[in-house]
Amino acid sequence: MEKKVLLEVDSLKKYFHLGKNEILKAVDNVSFKIHQGETFGLVGESGCGKSTIGRTIIGLYDRTEGSALYDGKDIHSMKEKEKFAFHRQMQMIFQDPYASLNPRSTVAEIIMEPMEVHGLYKDKKERMGRVYQLLEDVGLNRDHANRYPHEFSGGQRQRIGIARALALDPEFIIADEPISALDVSVQAQVVNLLKRLQKEKGLTYLFIAHDLSMVKAISDRIGVMYLGNMVELTTSNQLYKKPLHPYTQALLSAIPIPDPDIEDQRERIILQGELPSPINPPSGCVFRTRCPHAMPACSEIKPEWQEIDENHFVACHLYNEKIVSDGNYAETAATK
Ligand code: SF4
């Protein structure tokens, strides 16, 4: 039986008006669902809109169009009281734990603050008991409670950020590049911690990162973003076995394979050109200025979001028989 849909994002747009006639289309018509207990990874280069999606879903930004439903309720139409209750259910972990932790507060104060705001637990003693429990849950100990953020390493600070996010016992966590600022040696530890906590507490994650190999390690399904658009979405196994979108293929080809024989024979797809500006995105397919398979139709027609195999969606004309059979593809440089 399919699990309950906890978050449903439908045709979400988030535009920023920068000035006269300048609109930054950070998120442009993105749709996906996240089921209870699942980890959904969002991946793409910086500036592709993945963090803006997270911030719009949790209500830090208002939406421009479209909707994000949490447990069936429209997040952006919630009244204050509903929003307050919703924030107990959905919490966020940030990229830079140092910036998100108040340097003048002790670890105990940092973790306790959301409990106080939401009036949880009878008194300070009970809250302190909860702080100790959370510190243990994230692999720290009670001796850390009275120290300050600067006394910890980057990995430990991220653990404090996770403990704070768990303080209200949420069911959904948005992890926005939670490991990008950490040393490679510590990244896997934090990913393993998030996986363990998910199992123990039945959490649902939206995991945002630019590193596809890390996203694969934690996600059940992955959505690939490029310039505000989602270009491919499927299970993480299927994405690795059979990536369909040329952008996904390029991202995957950049991940080293531990077997030197396979690694030697592998062809790297190097994307040409810079990421275009989301203020003035290319017409038609937004990826066409860097796509090795671009054909004439790509600059004129925006590719449709199609389900190619079960639960495998892509937005690319290469999978549109009509466009390919019209002779478009034969003219591309990639086929010569
Ligand atoms: Fe490349 Fe065209 Fe597909 Fe876009 S629609 S990814 S430009 S082939």
Side-chain angles (χ1 to χ4, degrees):
M1 199 176 71
E2 199 170 70
K3 286 202 171 153
K4 172 177 153 183
V5 173
L6 209 47
L7 178 75
E8 183 165 4
V9 174
D10 185 18
S11 313
L12 189 70
K13 292 184 183 177
K14 176 62 198 169
Y15 294 175
F16 294 96
H17 293 262
L18 301 181
K20 234 182 162 191
N21 303 329
E22 272 202 339
I23 298 174
L24 188 152
K25 296 182 175 179
V27 178
D28 204 10
N29 215 8
V30 168
S31 303
F32 59 93
K33 292 176 186 168
I34 303 184
H35 301 96
Q36 194 157 39
E38 178 181 40
T39 297
F40 185 88
L42 259 189
V43 73
E45 287 162 285
S46 67
C48 70
K50 55 193 191 308
S51 291
T52 306
I53 290 186
R55 282 155 192 257
T56 309
I57 289 170
I58 207 165
L60 288 174
Y61 297 144
D62 204 357
R63 58 165 168 210
T64 303
E65 259 179 51
S67 61
L69 306 186
Y70 187 75
D71 210 2
K73 289 197 192 90
D74 186 333
I75 295 167
H76 298 95
S77 304
M78 286 177 182
K79 304 259 180 317
E80 278 312 304
K81 221 172 145 191
E82 270 180 307
K83 211 167 239 175
F84 191 69
F86 160 68
H87 281 138
R88 260 193 80 174
Q89 299 304 329
M90 186 184 279
Q91 287 286 306
M92 196 152 180
I93 302 169
F94 295 92
Q95 172 176 5
D96 182 353
Y98 201 51
S100 62
L101 304 175
N102 185 346
R104 283 181 294 278
S105 298
T106 64
V107 168
E109 287 163 349
I110 287 168
I111 299 174
M112 220 184 274
E113 192 198 2
M115 301 179 208
E116 287 166 349
V117 170
H118 283 260
L120 299 188
Y121 305 102
K122 200 169 73 213
D123 51 29
K124 194 164 176 193
K125 195 171 160 231
E126 272 197 13
R127 288 197 272 271
M128 206 56 204
R130 174 83 177 133
V131 167
Y132 291 147
Q133 178 60 52
L134 285 164
L135 285 173
E136 277 169 26
D137 286 351
V138 299
L140 297 171
N141 63 59
R142 53 171 61 208
D143 295 340
H144 292 127
N146 291 319
R147 299 208 206 148
Y148 290 85
H150 73 266
E151 297 178 59
F152 294 90
S153 67
Q156 286 175 318
R157 282 200 287 263
Q158 193 52 288
R159 287 172 193 267
I160 298 166
I162 293 169
R164 181 182 158 98
L166 294 175
L168 301 177
D169 209 8
E171 54 181 7
F172 193 108
I173 290 200
I174 298 179
D176 185 10
E177 300 262 12
I179 51 171
S180 311
L182 304 177
D183 288 347
V184 176
S185 57
V186 184
Q187 290 184 345
Q189 291 172 18
V190 173
V191 165
N192 288 337
L193 169 65
L194 289 170
K195 276 182 166 174
R196 174 170 64 74
L197 291 169
Q198 179 172 45
K199 235 193 212 159
E200 288 170 6
K201 299 178 187 293
L203 294 163
T204 305
Y205 290 142
L206 171 58
F207 189 90
I208 299 169
H210 62 268
D211 177 347
L212 193 46
S213 56
M214 271 300 163
V215 172
K216 157 89 164 80
I218 192 166
S219 305
D220 300 301
R221 287 185 306 136
I222 298 176
V224 181
M225 296 277 304
Y226 185 82
L227 215 64
N229 291 252
M230 192 171 281
V231 296
E232 185 160 4
L233 191 168
T234 189
T235 61
S236 72
N237 282 339
Q238 181 69 359
L239 195 79
Y240 272 71
K241 259 199 316 215
K242 197 179 161 199
L244 296 178
H245 197 280
Y247 179 58
T248 316
Q249 291 166 356
L251 285 183
L252 278 170
S253 85
I255 299 177
I257 291 177
D259 183 327
D261 293 336
I262 302 177
E263 180 65 14
D264 279 355
Q265 287 167 20
R266 244 165 31 116
E267 201 191 325
R268 278 249 141 86
I269 305 168
I270 311 282
L271 290 179
Q272 304 299 324
E274 296 289 313
L275 187 71
S277 163
I279 297 172
N280 191 13
S283 60
C285 171
V286 286
F287 186 56
R288 71 174 167 82
T289 52
R290 298 170 83 194
C291 179
H293 305 291
M295 43 190 158
C298 301
S299 58
E300 288 155 25
I301 308 165
K302 196 170 170 98
E304 277 174 28
W305 188 237
Q306 307 176 74
E307 188 168 12
I308 302 298
D309 289 320
E310 203 188 347
N311 290 321
H312 196 162
F313 299 83
V314 70
C316 172
H317 291 321
L318 291 175
Y319 306 94
N320 181 323
E321 279 173 25
K322 167 107 183 42
I323 286 183
V324 172
S325 67
D326 278 353
N328 259 298
Y329 193 58
E331 296 170 33
T332 68
T335 56
K336 282 177 188 160

PDB file of all heavy atoms in Angstrom, residues 231 244-247 284-299 301-303 314-319 329 332, ligand 1:
ATOM      1  N   VAL A 231      13.896  18.874 -13.651  1.00  0.00           N
ATOM      2  CA  VAL A 231      14.097  18.275 -14.974  1.00  0.00           C
ATOM      3  C   VAL A 231      13.963  16.754 -14.948  1.00  0.00           C
ATOM      4  O   VAL A 231      13.714  16.134 -15.989  1.00  0.00           O
ATOM      5  CB  VAL A 231      15.457  18.698 -15.594  1.00  0.00           C
ATOM      6  CG1 VAL A 231      15.488  20.195 -15.832  1.00  0.00           C
ATOM      7  CG2 VAL A 231      16.643  18.251 -14.744  1.00  0.00           C
ATOM      8  N   LEU A 244      17.880   9.856 -17.398  1.00  0.00           N
ATOM      9  CA  LEU A 244      17.324  10.182 -18.711  1.00  0.00           C
ATOM     10  C   LEU A 244      17.715  11.586 -19.183  1.00  0.00           C
ATOM     11  O   LEU A 244      17.991  11.796 -20.353  1.00  0.00           O
ATOM     12  CB  LEU A 244      15.788  10.085 -18.674  1.00  0.00           C
ATOM     13  CG  LEU A 244      15.200   8.697 -18.390  1.00  0.00           C
ATOM     14  CD1 LEU A 244      13.684   8.773 -18.330  1.00  0.00           C
ATOM     15  CD2 LEU A 244      15.630   7.697 -19.456  1.00  0.00           C
ATOM     16  N   HIS A 245      17.720  12.521 -18.279  1.00  0.00           N
ATOM     17  CA  HIS A 245      17.949  13.910 -18.701  1.00  0.00           C
ATOM     18  C   HIS A 245      19.453  14.161 -18.921  1.00  0.00           C
ATOM     19  O   HIS A 245      20.278  13.727 -18.103  1.00  0.00           O
ATOM     20  CB  HIS A 245      17.419  14.862 -17.623  1.00  0.00           C
ATOM     21  CG  HIS A 245      17.234  16.253 -18.136  1.00  0.00           C
ATOM     22  ND1 HIS A 245      18.279  17.132 -18.268  1.00  0.00           N
ATOM     23  CD2 HIS A 245      16.132  16.907 -18.592  1.00  0.00           C
ATOM     24  CE1 HIS A 245      17.818  18.276 -18.755  1.00  0.00           C
ATOM     25  NE2 HIS A 245      16.510  18.163 -18.960  1.00  0.00           N
ATOM     26  N   PRO A 246      19.819  14.850 -19.995  1.00  0.00           N
ATOM     27  CA  PRO A 246      21.236  15.117 -20.239  1.00  0.00           C
ATOM     28  C   PRO A 246      21.934  15.806 -19.064  1.00  0.00           C
ATOM     29  O   PRO A 246      23.122  15.577 -18.830  1.00  0.00           O
ATOM     30  CB  PRO A 246      21.214  16.028 -21.475  1.00  0.00           C
ATOM     31  CG  PRO A 246      19.951  15.675 -22.178  1.00  0.00           C
ATOM     32  CD  PRO A 246      18.965  15.330 -21.111  1.00  0.00           C
ATOM     33  N   TYR A 247      21.203  16.617 -18.316  1.00  0.00           N
ATOM     34  CA  TYR A 247      21.827  17.280 -17.163  1.00  0.00           C
ATOM     35  C   TYR A 247      22.133  16.258 -16.057  1.00  0.00           C
ATOM     36  O   TYR A 247      23.216  16.271 -15.473  1.00  0.00           O
ATOM     37  CB  TYR A 247      20.907  18.387 -16.636  1.00  0.00           C
ATOM     38  CG  TYR A 247      21.472  19.108 -15.434  1.00  0.00           C
ATOM     39  CD1 TYR A 247      22.707  19.742 -15.494  1.00  0.00           C
ATOM     40  CD2 TYR A 247      20.778  19.138 -14.230  1.00  0.00           C
ATOM     41  CE1 TYR A 247      23.238  20.393 -14.385  1.00  0.00           C
ATOM     42  CE2 TYR A 247      21.296  19.790 -13.118  1.00  0.00           C
ATOM     43  CZ  TYR A 247      22.527  20.405 -13.205  1.00  0.00           C
ATOM     44  OH  TYR A 247      23.048  21.048 -12.110  1.00  0.00           O
ATOM     45  N   GLY A 284      12.419  28.203 -24.344  1.00  0.00           N
ATOM     46  CA  GLY A 284      12.248  26.762 -24.553  1.00  0.00           C
ATOM     47  C   GLY A 284      12.772  25.985 -23.372  1.00  0.00           C
ATOM     48  O   GLY A 284      12.374  26.217 -22.232  1.00  0.00           O
ATOM     49  N   CYS A 285      13.691  25.081 -23.629  1.00  0.00           N
ATOM     50  CA  CYS A 285      14.299  24.300 -22.533  1.00  0.00           C
ATOM     51  C   CYS A 285      15.392  25.132 -21.878  1.00  0.00           C
ATOM     52  O   CYS A 285      16.330  25.583 -22.550  1.00  0.00           O
ATOM     53  CB  CYS A 285      14.877  23.000 -23.079  1.00  0.00           C
ATOM     54  SG  CYS A 285      15.851  22.125 -21.831  1.00  0.00           S
ATOM     55  N   VAL A 286      15.323  25.290 -20.552  1.00  0.00           N
ATOM     56  CA  VAL A 286      16.301  26.141 -19.860  1.00  0.00           C
ATOM     57  C   VAL A 286      17.717  25.571 -19.915  1.00  0.00           C
ATOM     58  O   VAL A 286      18.689  26.278 -19.697  1.00  0.00           O
ATOM     59  CB  VAL A 286      15.928  26.404 -18.381  1.00  0.00           C
ATOM     60  CG1 VAL A 286      14.788  27.388 -18.265  1.00  0.00           C
ATOM     61  CG2 VAL A 286      15.624  25.110 -17.643  1.00  0.00           C
ATOM     62  N   PHE A 287      17.839  24.285 -20.233  1.00  0.00           N
ATOM     63  CA  PHE A 287      19.161  23.651 -20.258  1.00  0.00           C
ATOM     64  C   PHE A 287      19.809  23.726 -21.642  1.00  0.00           C
ATOM     65  O   PHE A 287      20.961  23.332 -21.818  1.00  0.00           O
ATOM     66  CB  PHE A 287      19.021  22.181 -19.816  1.00  0.00           C
ATOM     67  CG  PHE A 287      20.325  21.455 -19.651  1.00  0.00           C
ATOM     68  CD1 PHE A 287      21.315  21.937 -18.804  1.00  0.00           C
ATOM     69  CD2 PHE A 287      20.576  20.284 -20.347  1.00  0.00           C
ATOM     70  CE1 PHE A 287      22.526  21.268 -18.655  1.00  0.00           C
ATOM     71  CE2 PHE A 287      21.789  19.602 -20.208  1.00  0.00           C
ATOM     72  CZ  PHE A 287      22.760  20.096 -19.352  1.00  0.00           C
ATOM     73  N   ARG A 288      19.120  24.265 -22.613  1.00  0.00           N
ATOM     74  CA  ARG A 288      19.573  24.114 -24.009  1.00  0.00           C
ATOM     75  C   ARG A 288      20.926  24.767 -24.298  1.00  0.00           C
ATOM     76  O   ARG A 288      21.665  24.310 -25.150  1.00  0.00           O
ATOM     77  CB  ARG A 288      18.521  24.654 -24.981  1.00  0.00           C
ATOM     78  CG  ARG A 288      18.391  26.163 -24.972  1.00  0.00           C
ATOM     79  CD  ARG A 288      17.451  26.619 -26.054  1.00  0.00           C
ATOM     80  NE  ARG A 288      17.082  27.995 -25.862  1.00  0.00           N
ATOM     81  CZ  ARG A 288      17.819  29.037 -26.240  1.00  0.00           C
ATOM     82  NH1 ARG A 288      18.991  28.849 -26.823  1.00  0.00           N
ATOM     83  NH2 ARG A 288      17.390  30.253 -26.023  1.00  0.00           N
ATOM     84  N   THR A 289      21.288  25.817 -23.531  1.00  0.00           N
ATOM     85  CA  THR A 289      22.563  26.485 -23.824  1.00  0.00           C
ATOM     86  C   THR A 289      23.771  25.641 -23.413  1.00  0.00           C
ATOM     87  O   THR A 289      24.896  25.946 -23.785  1.00  0.00           O
ATOM     88  CB  THR A 289      22.639  27.848 -23.105  1.00  0.00           C
ATOM     89  OG1 THR A 289      22.349  27.632 -21.718  1.00  0.00           O
ATOM     90  CG2 THR A 289      21.653  28.840 -23.692  1.00  0.00           C
ATOM     91  N   ARG A 290      23.526  24.593 -22.648  1.00  0.00           N
ATOM     92  CA  ARG A 290      24.648  23.734 -22.212  1.00  0.00           C
ATOM     93  C   ARG A 290      24.442  22.268 -22.592  1.00  0.00           C
ATOM     94  O   ARG A 290      25.244  21.421 -22.233  1.00  0.00           O
ATOM     95  CB  ARG A 290      24.814  23.852 -20.694  1.00  0.00           C
ATOM     96  CG  ARG A 290      25.156  25.258 -20.253  1.00  0.00           C
ATOM     97  CD  ARG A 290      25.065  25.385 -18.762  1.00  0.00           C
ATOM     98  NE  ARG A 290      26.245  24.930 -18.089  1.00  0.00           N
ATOM     99  CZ  ARG A 290      26.312  24.692 -16.775  1.00  0.00           C
ATOM    100  NH1 ARG A 290      25.250  24.864 -16.033  1.00  0.00           N
ATOM    101  NH2 ARG A 290      27.422  24.277 -16.227  1.00  0.00           N
ATOM    102  N   CYS A 291      23.357  21.994 -23.294  1.00  0.00           N
ATOM    103  CA  CYS A 291      23.001  20.595 -23.551  1.00  0.00           C
ATOM    104  C   CYS A 291      23.724  20.065 -24.797  1.00  0.00           C
ATOM    105  O   CYS A 291      23.623  20.655 -25.868  1.00  0.00           O
ATOM    106  CB  CYS A 291      21.498  20.484 -23.746  1.00  0.00           C
ATOM    107  SG  CYS A 291      20.995  18.796 -24.105  1.00  0.00           S
ATOM    108  N   PRO A 292      24.433  18.930 -24.672  1.00  0.00           N
ATOM    109  CA  PRO A 292      25.121  18.371 -25.845  1.00  0.00           C
ATOM    110  C   PRO A 292      24.161  17.815 -26.891  1.00  0.00           C
ATOM    111  O   PRO A 292      24.573  17.505 -28.006  1.00  0.00           O
ATOM    112  CB  PRO A 292      25.995  17.251 -25.252  1.00  0.00           C
ATOM    113  CG  PRO A 292      25.450  16.951 -23.907  1.00  0.00           C
ATOM    114  CD  PRO A 292      24.701  18.161 -23.429  1.00  0.00           C
ATOM    115  N   HIS A 293      22.871  17.662 -26.563  1.00  0.00           N
ATOM    116  CA  HIS A 293      21.900  17.090 -27.510  1.00  0.00           C
ATOM    117  C   HIS A 293      20.893  18.110 -28.011  1.00  0.00           C
ATOM    118  O   HIS A 293      19.884  17.732 -28.610  1.00  0.00           O
ATOM    119  CB  HIS A 293      21.127  15.950 -26.839  1.00  0.00           C
ATOM    120  CG  HIS A 293      22.020  14.899 -26.262  1.00  0.00           C
ATOM    121  ND1 HIS A 293      22.760  14.050 -27.035  1.00  0.00           N
ATOM    122  CD2 HIS A 293      22.310  14.591 -24.970  1.00  0.00           C
ATOM    123  CE1 HIS A 293      23.470  13.248 -26.252  1.00  0.00           C
ATOM    124  NE2 HIS A 293      23.224  13.571 -24.995  1.00  0.00           N
ATOM    125  N   ALA A 294      21.124  19.388 -27.748  1.00  0.00           N
ATOM    126  CA  ALA A 294      20.113  20.403 -28.093  1.00  0.00           C
ATOM    127  C   ALA A 294      19.774  20.354 -29.580  1.00  0.00           C
ATOM    128  O   ALA A 294      20.633  20.161 -30.423  1.00  0.00           O
ATOM    129  CB  ALA A 294      20.614  21.781 -27.698  1.00  0.00           C
ATOM    130  N   MET A 295      18.498  20.494 -29.867  1.00  0.00           N
ATOM    131  CA  MET A 295      18.017  20.485 -31.256  1.00  0.00           C
ATOM    132  C   MET A 295      17.154  21.731 -31.469  1.00  0.00           C
ATOM    133  O   MET A 295      16.830  22.426 -30.507  1.00  0.00           O
ATOM    134  CB  MET A 295      17.246  19.197 -31.521  1.00  0.00           C
ATOM    135  CG  MET A 295      16.314  18.788 -30.418  1.00  0.00           C
ATOM    136  SD  MET A 295      15.675  17.124 -30.666  1.00  0.00           S
ATOM    137  CE  MET A 295      15.212  16.687 -29.013  1.00  0.00           C
ATOM    138  N   PRO A 296      16.790  22.024 -32.705  1.00  0.00           N
ATOM    139  CA  PRO A 296      16.077  23.282 -32.955  1.00  0.00           C
ATOM    140  C   PRO A 296      14.839  23.493 -32.075  1.00  0.00           C
ATOM    141  O   PRO A 296      14.625  24.589 -31.550  1.00  0.00           O
ATOM    142  CB  PRO A 296      15.696  23.179 -34.427  1.00  0.00           C
ATOM    143  CG  PRO A 296      16.766  22.322 -35.022  1.00  0.00           C
ATOM    144  CD  PRO A 296      17.124  21.318 -33.965  1.00  0.00           C
ATOM    145  N   ALA A 297      14.060  22.444 -31.856  1.00  0.00           N
ATOM    146  CA  ALA A 297      12.826  22.613 -31.063  1.00  0.00           C
ATOM    147  C   ALA A 297      13.120  23.052 -29.636  1.00  0.00           C
ATOM    148  O   ALA A 297      12.277  23.675 -28.982  1.00  0.00           O
ATOM    149  CB  ALA A 297      12.046  21.303 -31.041  1.00  0.00           C
ATOM    150  N   CYS A 298      14.329  22.756 -29.159  1.00  0.00           N
ATOM    151  CA  CYS A 298      14.646  23.033 -27.752  1.00  0.00           C
ATOM    152  C   CYS A 298      14.633  24.527 -27.429  1.00  0.00           C
ATOM    153  O   CYS A 298      14.423  24.905 -26.279  1.00  0.00           O
ATOM    154  CB  CYS A 298      16.001  22.435 -27.382  1.00  0.00           C
ATOM    155  SG  CYS A 298      16.061  20.666 -27.636  1.00  0.00           S
ATOM    156  N   SER A 299      14.884  25.363 -28.421  1.00  0.00           N
ATOM    157  CA  SER A 299      14.875  26.795 -28.128  1.00  0.00           C
ATOM    158  C   SER A 299      13.466  27.393 -28.275  1.00  0.00           C
ATOM    159  O   SER A 299      13.230  28.524 -27.887  1.00  0.00           O
ATOM    160  CB  SER A 299      15.851  27.539 -29.041  1.00  0.00           C
ATOM    161  OG  SER A 299      15.499  27.301 -30.373  1.00  0.00           O
ATOM    162  N   ILE A 301      10.285  25.364 -27.795  1.00  0.00           N
ATOM    163  CA  ILE A 301       9.206  24.720 -27.022  1.00  0.00           C
ATOM    164  C   ILE A 301       9.742  24.265 -25.671  1.00  0.00           C
ATOM    165  O   ILE A 301      10.790  23.626 -25.592  1.00  0.00           O
ATOM    166  CB  ILE A 301       8.661  23.481 -27.781  1.00  0.00           C
ATOM    167  CG1 ILE A 301       8.289  23.855 -29.212  1.00  0.00           C
ATOM    168  CG2 ILE A 301       7.461  22.877 -27.063  1.00  0.00           C
ATOM    169  CD1 ILE A 301       8.102  22.652 -30.130  1.00  0.00           C
ATOM    170  N   LYS A 302       8.995  24.624 -24.626  1.00  0.00           N
ATOM    171  CA  LYS A 302       9.392  24.163 -23.284  1.00  0.00           C
ATOM    172  C   LYS A 302       9.040  22.674 -23.164  1.00  0.00           C
ATOM    173  O   LYS A 302       7.905  22.288 -23.456  1.00  0.00           O
ATOM    174  CB  LYS A 302       8.633  24.974 -22.227  1.00  0.00           C
ATOM    175  CG  LYS A 302       9.223  24.847 -20.860  1.00  0.00           C
ATOM    176  CD  LYS A 302       8.597  25.838 -19.894  1.00  0.00           C
ATOM    177  CE  LYS A 302       9.023  25.525 -18.491  1.00  0.00           C
ATOM    178  NZ  LYS A 302      10.101  26.290 -17.956  1.00  0.00           N
ATOM    179  N   PRO A 303       9.982  21.822 -22.796  1.00  0.00           N
ATOM    180  CA  PRO A 303       9.660  20.387 -22.735  1.00  0.00           C
ATOM    181  C   PRO A 303       8.597  20.079 -21.685  1.00  0.00           C
ATOM    182  O   PRO A 303       8.585  20.680 -20.609  1.00  0.00           O
ATOM    183  CB  PRO A 303      10.987  19.724 -22.382  1.00  0.00           C
ATOM    184  CG  PRO A 303      11.960  20.787 -22.111  1.00  0.00           C
ATOM    185  CD  PRO A 303      11.379  22.110 -22.441  1.00  0.00           C
ATOM    186  N   VAL A 314      10.551  12.992 -16.578  1.00  0.00           N
ATOM    187  CA  VAL A 314      11.615  13.817 -17.151  1.00  0.00           C
ATOM    188  C   VAL A 314      10.993  14.929 -18.003  1.00  0.00           C
ATOM    189  O   VAL A 314       9.883  14.768 -18.535  1.00  0.00           O
ATOM    190  CB  VAL A 314      12.594  12.943 -17.988  1.00  0.00           C
ATOM    191  CG1 VAL A 314      11.943  12.429 -19.264  1.00  0.00           C
ATOM    192  CG2 VAL A 314      13.881  13.680 -18.302  1.00  0.00           C
ATOM    193  N   ALA A 315      11.704  16.036 -18.108  1.00  0.00           N
ATOM    194  CA  ALA A 315      11.279  17.121 -19.004  1.00  0.00           C
ATOM    195  C   ALA A 315      12.370  17.298 -20.055  1.00  0.00           C
ATOM    196  O   ALA A 315      13.359  17.998 -19.813  1.00  0.00           O
ATOM    197  CB  ALA A 315      11.074  18.410 -18.211  1.00  0.00           C
ATOM    198  N   CYS A 316      12.237  16.603 -21.190  1.00  0.00           N
ATOM    199  CA  CYS A 316      13.252  16.691 -22.244  1.00  0.00           C
ATOM    200  C   CYS A 316      12.646  16.210 -23.557  1.00  0.00           C
ATOM    201  O   CYS A 316      11.991  15.164 -23.600  1.00  0.00           O
ATOM    202  CB  CYS A 316      14.456  15.834 -21.871  1.00  0.00           C
ATOM    203  SG  CYS A 316      15.649  15.689 -23.205  1.00  0.00           S
ATOM    204  N   HIS A 317      12.902  16.959 -24.624  1.00  0.00           N
ATOM    205  CA  HIS A 317      12.333  16.602 -25.932  1.00  0.00           C
ATOM    206  C   HIS A 317      12.883  15.298 -26.499  1.00  0.00           C
ATOM    207  O   HIS A 317      12.285  14.732 -27.409  1.00  0.00           O
ATOM    208  CB  HIS A 317      12.610  17.726 -26.933  1.00  0.00           C
ATOM    209  CG  HIS A 317      11.845  18.982 -26.633  1.00  0.00           C
ATOM    210  ND1 HIS A 317      10.549  18.967 -26.191  1.00  0.00           N
ATOM    211  CD2 HIS A 317      12.198  20.298 -26.731  1.00  0.00           C
ATOM    212  CE1 HIS A 317      10.139  20.210 -26.010  1.00  0.00           C
ATOM    213  NE2 HIS A 317      11.119  21.044 -26.323  1.00  0.00           N
ATOM    214  N   LEU A 318      14.017  14.826 -25.996  1.00  0.00           N
ATOM    215  CA  LEU A 318      14.560  13.565 -26.518  1.00  0.00           C
ATOM    216  C   LEU A 318      13.576  12.421 -26.305  1.00  0.00           C
ATOM    217  O   LEU A 318      13.645  11.395 -26.972  1.00  0.00           O
ATOM    218  CB  LEU A 318      15.877  13.207 -25.806  1.00  0.00           C
ATOM    219  CG  LEU A 318      17.079  14.100 -26.090  1.00  0.00           C
ATOM    220  CD1 LEU A 318      18.248  13.690 -25.216  1.00  0.00           C
ATOM    221  CD2 LEU A 318      17.480  14.020 -27.560  1.00  0.00           C
ATOM    222  N   TYR A 319      12.665  12.593 -25.348  1.00  0.00           N
ATOM    223  CA  TYR A 319      11.702  11.535 -25.040  1.00  0.00           C
ATOM    224  C   TYR A 319      10.319  11.867 -25.593  1.00  0.00           C
ATOM    225  O   TYR A 319       9.320  11.268 -25.211  1.00  0.00           O
ATOM    226  CB  TYR A 319      11.672  11.294 -23.520  1.00  0.00           C
ATOM    227  CG  TYR A 319      13.074  11.015 -23.042  1.00  0.00           C
ATOM    228  CD1 TYR A 319      13.869  12.058 -22.543  1.00  0.00           C
ATOM    229  CD2 TYR A 319      13.648   9.762 -23.202  1.00  0.00           C
ATOM    230  CE1 TYR A 319      15.186  11.835 -22.186  1.00  0.00           C
ATOM    231  CE2 TYR A 319      14.970   9.533 -22.856  1.00  0.00           C
ATOM    232  CZ  TYR A 319      15.732  10.572 -22.347  1.00  0.00           C
ATOM    233  OH  TYR A 319      17.044  10.336 -22.016  1.00  0.00           O
ATOM    234  N   TYR A 329      16.056  15.896 -34.287  1.00  0.00           N
ATOM    235  CA  TYR A 329      17.223  15.330 -33.630  1.00  0.00           C
ATOM    236  C   TYR A 329      18.347  15.071 -34.623  1.00  0.00           C
ATOM    237  O   TYR A 329      19.517  15.215 -34.305  1.00  0.00           O
ATOM    238  CB  TYR A 329      16.841  14.038 -32.899  1.00  0.00           C
ATOM    239  CG  TYR A 329      17.927  13.603 -31.957  1.00  0.00           C
ATOM    240  CD1 TYR A 329      18.355  14.461 -30.947  1.00  0.00           C
ATOM    241  CD2 TYR A 329      18.556  12.380 -32.088  1.00  0.00           C
ATOM    242  CE1 TYR A 329      19.357  14.110 -30.088  1.00  0.00           C
ATOM    243  CE2 TYR A 329      19.571  12.012 -31.215  1.00  0.00           C
ATOM    244  CZ  TYR A 329      19.969  12.878 -30.222  1.00  0.00           C
ATOM    245  OH  TYR A 329      20.978  12.532 -29.369  1.00  0.00           O
ATOM    246  N   THR A 332      21.084  17.643 -34.944  1.00  0.00           N
ATOM    247  CA  THR A 332      21.891  18.109 -33.812  1.00  0.00           C
ATOM    248  C   THR A 332      23.360  17.728 -33.953  1.00  0.00           C
ATOM    249  O   THR A 332      23.706  16.739 -34.578  1.00  0.00           O
ATOM    250  CB  THR A 332      21.397  17.508 -32.479  1.00  0.00           C
ATOM    251  OG1 THR A 332      21.671  16.126 -32.512  1.00  0.00           O
ATOM    252  CG2 THR A 332      19.927  17.735 -32.274  1.00  0.00           C
TER     253      THR A 332
HETATM  254 FE1  SF4 B   1      18.676  19.030 -24.191  1.00  0.00          FE
HETATM  255 FE2  SF4 B   1      16.615  19.688 -25.691  1.00  0.00          FE
HETATM  256 FE3  SF4 B   1      16.366  17.831 -23.815  1.00  0.00          FE
HETATM  257 FE4  SF4 B   1      16.632  20.380 -23.178  1.00  0.00          FE
HETATM  258  S1  SF4 B   1      14.935  19.467 -24.282  1.00  0.00           S
HETATM  259  S2  SF4 B   1      17.665  18.685 -22.254  1.00  0.00           S
HETATM  260  S3  SF4 B   1      18.049  21.091 -24.746  1.00  0.00           S
HETATM  261  S4  SF4 B   1      17.633  17.721 -25.658  1.00  0.00           S
END
